[in-house]
Structures are given as C-alpha cells and as structure tokens.
C-alpha cells in the first residue's frame, strides 16, 4: 500500500524537487492528483509523471477525494487557505516554505 498524494502547485519547486522525489519513491507514494491553474503546465506535468487526477484548483483536488496527503508547492500567499482546507478534509499536509 502506498500513500496517495496530491500536489498543489506545479511550478518550479514542485517540478525540481517534490515530483521527482515522490516519483523516485513509487514503492511508497502514488502521485494521484495535481492542482495547477495553468492548463499548459497542468497537462504537461500530468503527462510527464502520469498523474491521473488533474485539477485547476486545490478545492477541486480535495473535493475529488481519494488522497491521504497533499504537498503544497503553490505561492506562499495561497498556503494558509490550502493548508486549512486540506486539514479540514482530514488530509496530512506537507507545506513548502516559507
């Protein structure tokens, strides 16, 4: 059994750090969903990592269900709302700094 992870934000930090690490540990993690407002980025990253659940926003990702945890890699100003929404949904949360 693997931890089903949703990644919120598909920008530089997600692409350079979190997605490659999660992908390298597929025996422990399944990248189940990605929330990214840019359709171009969302589709490209989704295809690159074989992510089945692609969403335009974090709320849609959370509401779709099927996750154990989220990794928040979105801009810092969006973190508070996304963290609180994920925690309210009973998800484990890893938040990229700051």
């Amino acid at each position: 059994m693997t931890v089903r992870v949703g990644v919120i934000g598909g920008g530089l930090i997600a692409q350079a750090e979190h997605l490659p690490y999660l992908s390298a540990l597929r025996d422990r993690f399944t990248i189940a969903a990605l929330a990214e407002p840019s359709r171009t980025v969302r589709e490209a990253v989704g295809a690159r990592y074989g992510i089945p659940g692609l969403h335009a926003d974090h709320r849609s990702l959370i509401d779709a269900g099927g996750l154990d945890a989220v990794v928040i890699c979105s801009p810092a100003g969006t973190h508070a709302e996304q963290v609180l929404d994920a925690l309210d949904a009973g998800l484990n949360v890893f938040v990229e700094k700051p």
Side-chain angles (χ1 to χ4, degrees):
M1 178 186 232
T2 62
V3 176
R4 298 165 299 173
V5 177
V7 176
I8 300 174
L12 179 63
I13 295 300
Q15 291 181 45
E17 301 290 332
H18 298 290
L19 288 166
Y21 294 142
L22 290 167
S23 184
L25 297 170
R26 289 205 185 253
D27 59 322
R28 298 177 192 164
F29 301 98
T30 299
I31 307 170
L34 170 68
E36 167 55 48
S38 167
R39 182 182 200 176
T40 302
V41 173
R42 182 172 64 244
E43 291 177 357
V45 172
R48 180 176 182 185
Y49 290 97
I51 303 171
L54 300 178
H55 304 273
D57 60 68
H58 82 281
R59 195 69 251 168
S60 173
L61 177 142
I62 291 168
D63 290 345
L67 299 175
D68 301 307
V70 292
V71 175
I72 298 180
C73 302
S74 58
T78 64
H79 289 179
E81 177 184 9
Q82 294 168 354
V83 168
L84 293 173
D85 288 349
L87 291 173
D88 285 345
L91 297 171
N92 293 292
V93 177
F94 178 94
V95 186
E96 180 58 48
K97 65 177 184 169

